[in-house]
């Protein structure tokens, strides 16, 4: 007998060796390594290698993978298509357009072509910002790290070591998270054997929504709307308690405790934030306290998007870029899951719906229909 699983909750769609989550204990691991260790000690490229090839690289393997990821050129049609969009288009629409255009070249997906896509994602996201800000498009220059090349190309200035470290950690923290809506969207597309760029475009459209990747922007907009730490309580009572609006950056389908990534982002925000960022941090902390008091009985706590915006803002990104930055990192998870799925269980994903409409009825010709 069919049974509807609301939001596909607790439906297992694949086996994975990529990411382990214990939502009750707040544990996140990539291929067995704790997220805290990876974010603290690794470069993003090490995590790329880990996710695609299964192990952390040695120094030679890391160097080789960096050389491959340093190929930032994209076909000129990609940047032209982005430039043709109105400047007020959503950053994710820019990314969807760029990836859709790339589907013309229809690459076969494997661990090596994945590296090429990761490199191109940097060029695309960097130029989302540049085009939206009216700046000349730019191809990132190869450097010691993906994070550094990305920041340098985006802002046309050399980032500090601290900024590179923070960008690197953010890339690692958002790199994968099992099969949330966006990854599932990529898998649904991949299961039809469509091209990989179309899979990424599918994932991007699912990521954009405020209940998923769009939440970092919405969480930060709450801090801006609140404006000052003294206003938090009144705002919370009006908007969340009486207004019944969701507290954005709170709650998670899998975590029933504090999201481990949120703790790391919070710590990073403390070391990066300038005066204005510190004000937002104070607001966020007060809001966290009220949110936890209100919702902990329902096991609703801050998720990764609650503090990540303060980190991105402190790195100089406008709010509109936050979801695109999440996507820049998550391209790795989408690629790794698609590759894993196609290697192991390449069945077309084709669920059913439970019919609850009328029983069979006799057809009534148009002229005889009344009312
Ligand atoms: N604020 C207030 N109440 C909430 C929140 C929240 N942020 N999240 C869940 N709830 C409540 C719901 O109202 C519901 O209450 P009820 O049982 O009394 O009706 C209960 O908790 C369960 O909520 P669901 O929406 O059924 O939980 P689900 O697992 O489907 O949703 C989701 C998870 C979408 C993340 C939800 O917690 C939410 O909307 N959060 C805010 C948006 C957000 O921050 N999204 C980012 C998620 S992390 C990520 O994508 C990287």
């Amino acid at each position: 007998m069919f049974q509807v699983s609301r939001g596909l909750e607790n439906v297992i769609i694949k086996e994975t060796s990529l990411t382990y989550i214990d939502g009750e204990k707040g544990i996140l691991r990539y291929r067995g390594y704790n997220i805290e260790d990876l974010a603290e000690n690794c470069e993003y490229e090490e995590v790329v290698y880990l996710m695609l090839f299964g192990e952390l690289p040695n120094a030679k393997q890391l160097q080789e993978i960096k050389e491959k990821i340093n190929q930032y050129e994209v076909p000129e049609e990609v940047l032209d298509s982005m430039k043709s969009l109105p400047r007020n288009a959503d950053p994710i629409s820019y990314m969807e357009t760029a990836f859709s255009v790339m589907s013309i070249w229809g690459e076969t997906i494997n661990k090596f072509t994945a590296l090429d896509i990761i490199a191109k994602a940097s060029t695309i996201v960097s130029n989302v910002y540049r085009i939206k800000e009216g700046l000349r498009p730019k191809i990132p220059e190869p450097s010691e790290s993906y994070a550094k090349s990305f920041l340098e190309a985006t802002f046309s200035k050399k980032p500090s070591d601290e900024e590179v470290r923070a960008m690197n950690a953010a890339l690692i923290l958002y790199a994968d998270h099992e099969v949330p809506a966006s990854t599932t969207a990529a898998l649904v597309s991949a299961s039809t054997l469509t091209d990989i760029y179309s899979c990424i475009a599918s994932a991007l459209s699912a990521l954009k929504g405020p209940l998923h990747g769009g939440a970092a922007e919405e969480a930060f907009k709450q801090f801006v709307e609140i404006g000052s730490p003294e206003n938090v309580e009144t705002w919370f009572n009006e908007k969340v308690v009486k207004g019944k609006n969701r507290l954005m950056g709170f709650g998670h389908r899998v975590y029933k405790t504090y999201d481990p990534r949120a703790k790391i982002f919070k710590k990073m925000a403390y070391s990066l934030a300038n005066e204005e960022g510190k004000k937002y941090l104070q607001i966020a902390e007060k809001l966290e306290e009220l949110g936890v008091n209100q919702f902990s009985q329902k096991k609703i706590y801050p998720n990764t998007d609650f503090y990540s915006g303060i980190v991105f803002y402190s790195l100089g990104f406008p709010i509109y870029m936050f979801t695109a930055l999440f996507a820049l990192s998550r391209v790795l998870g989408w690629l790794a899951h698609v590759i894993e799925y196609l290697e192991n269980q390449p069945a077309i994903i084709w669920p059913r719906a439970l019919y609850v409409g009328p029983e069979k009825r006799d057809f009534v010709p148009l002229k005889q229909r009344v009312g």
Side-chain angles (χ1 to χ4, degrees), residues 6-7 9 174 177 180-182 206-207 209-216 218-219 222 236 240 244-256 259 261 291 294-295 298-306 326 330:
R6 184 184 162 273
E9 189 159 10
Y174 271 126
H177 208 252
S182 57
L207 184 78
L211 296 187
H212 187 14
E218 298 306 317
Q222 296 172 145
F236 184 79
V240 181
K244 304 265 180 240
N245 290 303
R246 288 192 173 210
L247 184 54
M248 302 309 278
F250 256 64
H252 200 277
R253 173 56 70 79
V254 185
Y255 292 118
K256 298 304 159 204
D259 181 334
R261 301 166 299 174
Q294 181 78 14
F295 296 121
K298 285 189 178 178
K299 300 190 172 180
I300 293 171
Y301 291 90
N303 62 50
T304 189
D305 291 337
F306 197 68
F326 182 158
R330 187 56 61 85

Side-chain angles (χ1 to χ4, degrees), residues 313-333:
Y313 190 77
S314 304
L315 286 171
F317 289 102
I319 302 171
Y320 70 74
M321 282 298 290
F322 296 175
T323 316
L325 293 167
F326 182 158
L328 172 66
S329 160
R330 187 56 61 85
V331 164
L332 170 58

Side-chain angles (χ1 to χ4, degrees), residues 32-152:
Y33 295 105
N34 280 336
I35 191 68
E36 292 80 2
D37 293 332
L38 296 172
E40 176 81 29
N41 301 303
C42 280
E43 288 188 279
Y44 178 61
E45 292 90 325
E46 292 174 74
V47 172
V48 170
Y49 193 97
L50 174 69
M51 297 308 258
L52 294 177
F53 297 93
E55 298 295 337
L56 284 168
N58 61 30
K60 181 165 170 279
Q61 289 163 331
L62 179 60
Q63 199 44 44
E64 281 167 6
I65 200 180
K66 282 189 173 187
E67 277 162 26
K68 292 212 166 67
I69 299 181
N70 265 334
Q71 316 285 326
Y72 293 112
E73 285 290 339
V74 292
E76 67 184 284
E77 290 89 339
V78 173
L79 291 177
D80 286 348
S81 70
M82 292 170 72
K83 279 192 282 182
S84 74
L85 293 179
R87 288 255 297 271
N88 63 358
D90 186 276
I92 297 297
S93 304
Y94 275 88
M95 291 186 72
E96 286 166 340
T97 302
F99 278 101
S100 296
V101 167
M102 285 205 286
S103 72
I104 297 167
W105 296 283
E107 199 126 33
T108 315
I109 184 62
N110 60 45
K111 289 162 189 179
F112 296 97
T113 48
L115 297 176
D116 185 52
I117 293 171
I118 288 166
K120 288 181 167 72
S122 171
T123 311
I124 291 167
V125 177
S126 186
N127 283 292
V128 168
Y129 171 82
R130 295 187 63 84
I131 293 169
K132 280 183 74 69
E133 292 293 318
L135 301 167
R136 194 173 43 79
K138 197 170 178 174
I139 306 294
E141 297 278 341
S143 75
E144 314 83 275
S145 77
Y146 186 82
K148 184 174 179 199
S149 294
F150 172 71
L151 288 175
E152 205 160 356

Side-chain angles (χ1 to χ4, degrees), residues 39-40 160-167 169-170 173 262-279 281-282 285 307-308 310-315:
E40 176 81 29
S160 69
D161 290 348
E162 194 189 15
E163 287 168 336
V164 173
R165 268 198 305 279
M167 186 68 222
L173 290 170
K263 286 186 192 158
I264 306 172
F265 269 124
K266 184 174 177 181
K267 205 168 134 199
M268 284 161 64
Y270 263 104
S271 68
L272 267 187
N274 60 14
E275 272 312 292
E276 203 189 0
K278 289 218 167 68
K279 180 185 80 180
L281 250 178
Q282 283 174 359
E285 280 215 292
Y307 286 103
S308 64
I310 302 181
V311 169
F312 291 141
Y313 190 77
S314 304
L315 286 171

